[in-house]
Amino acid sequence: MLRPDTGTAHVGGHNIRTHPAQVRSCIGLTGQHTTVDDVLSAKQNLTLFGRLFHLSKADAMRRAEELLDQFHLRQVANKAPSTFSGGMRRRLDLAASMILAPKVLFLDEPTTGLDPAGRREVWNTIGHLASGGTTVLLTTHYLDEADQLCDRITLINHGRNIREDTPEGLKRAIGAESLHIVAHHSEDLNTINTIMAKHTHSEPTINTETLTITATCDTGVTALAATAADLRDHHIDLADISLRKPTLDEAFIALTTDA
């Protein structure tokens, strides 16, 4: 709708400056807020969208039937969206955006306001779309959502692309894994600290209030197994031992703070 000030982009192989109509023909959009009609039934909503996309009445009805099955909405085909859960409403909205089976689907914060069950429903649906060949460009503030769904992630800070990588690549960018141990007895902390330092090759951090010791490690499971075996040989009883990777939330904070 707006011409770029500088630069250009290609979507589905089409230049947005020179072939905007072709770009629009191969994209779909689901906005942050659902656009379905609460009075019409789910099937009527999909048929209406089909007609708005210039399908014949018969083709619009046929496509509505296909999408009801694809998005697991058959059981509510004749019910109004006002009776749906948040996740079900979002699935209907996604179905409406897929009327013409676009090559590229833009999703703007698709799970905002949904409860955990609703988010899981939408995640599953998006995963099925991507595995079926649709390219999905997703914007989200939920980094666990990006971690679950995305093959590649671009971090945006103040309108600038500051880093693009795989989820694992972004997490690796801020450091190694860390080994966490919770002791049962405070008198074991010094021994645990010495053993952890030996196997992680780093200086552990001790929290005497929570009886927790943490150390970064580059060898992951190898360091955990060696530490656990050594502690067992010293007859030290632990409350917990775990290997923890950096989260995307931590990666975002670290990378945007440095930007």
Side-chain angles (χ1 to χ4, degrees):
M1 299 297 292
L2 300 176
R3 293 187 65 80
D5 297 324
T6 60
T8 189
H10 290 76
V11 181
H14 304 294
N15 187 302
I16 62 168
R17 281 185 177 273
T18 58
H19 298 93
Q22 288 88 331
V23 171
R24 294 190 190 102
S25 70
C26 71
I27 65 174
L29 167 69
T30 297
Q32 185 173 346
H33 304 290
T34 56
T35 57
V36 296
D37 189 298
D38 280 335
V39 176
L40 301 178
S41 69
K43 182 178 178 180
Q44 288 171 331
N45 263 286
L46 294 176
T47 303
L48 171 63
F49 276 101
R51 296 292 282 152
L52 291 173
F53 278 108
H54 307 293
L55 297 181
S56 67
K57 184 176 181 180
D59 285 343
M61 294 180 68
R62 175 186 55 78
R63 184 60 178 152
E65 296 285 352
E66 292 173 353
L67 291 168
L68 288 169
D69 290 330
Q70 180 180 347
F71 286 83
H72 306 291
L73 294 167
R74 172 61 58 190
Q75 74 278 15
V76 293
N78 297 314
K79 294 183 179 179
S82 57
T83 65
F84 292 2
S85 66
M88 199 175 293
R89 282 176 61 88
R90 179 55 82 183
R91 292 211 317 266
L92 179 60
D93 207 36
L94 286 168
S97 69
M98 294 296 293
I99 291 291
L100 296 184
K103 294 179 181 179
V104 182
L105 179 63
F106 292 89
L107 301 182
D108 182 17
E109 301 193 37
T111 60
T112 297
L114 297 184
D115 61 23
R119 291 180 70 195
R120 184 65 60 179
E121 283 184 47
V122 175
W123 286 2
N124 290 338
T125 302
I126 294 171
H128 288 310
L129 288 175
S131 63
T134 300
T135 296
V136 179
L137 193 151
L138 167 75
T139 61
T140 181
H141 286 95
Y142 300 130
L143 294 183
D144 61 326
E145 179 166 276
D147 203 358
Q148 285 281 336
L149 295 176
C150 297
D151 298 315
R152 296 192 67 79
I153 297 173
T154 295
L155 298 182
I156 306 293
N157 189 36
H158 298 297
R160 292 193 304 113
N161 175 356
I162 60 170
R163 184 70 69 94
E164 180 179 340
D165 206 336
T166 63
E168 291 303 314
L170 289 172
K171 287 181 277 190
R172 283 196 302 269
I174 67 166
E177 296 172 309
S178 55
L179 182 61
H180 293 252
I181 290 179
V182 181
H184 263 309
H185 309 291
S186 60
E187 58 266 27
D188 292 330
L189 288 175
N190 287 334
T191 302
I192 295 172
N193 180 74
T194 300
I195 292 172
M196 284 184 72
K198 179 175 69 172
H199 295 295
T200 62
H201 308 291
S202 65
E203 186 63 35
T205 301
I206 301 177
N207 186 321
T208 56
E209 293 184 1
T210 61
L211 302 184
T212 301
I213 307 178
T214 303
T216 59
C217 59
D218 294 322
T219 54
V221 174
T222 300
L224 184 149
T227 301
D230 208 345
L231 291 170
R232 184 174 61 249
D233 292 341
H234 282 77
H235 306 289
I236 293 178
D237 190 23
L238 301 179
D240 187 40
I241 181 170
S242 62
L243 192 65
R244 182 173 173 271
K245 293 183 178 181
T247 66
L248 270 183
D249 283 52
E250 291 168 338
F252 179 82
I253 291 170
L255 294 170
T256 55
T257 299
D258 295 338

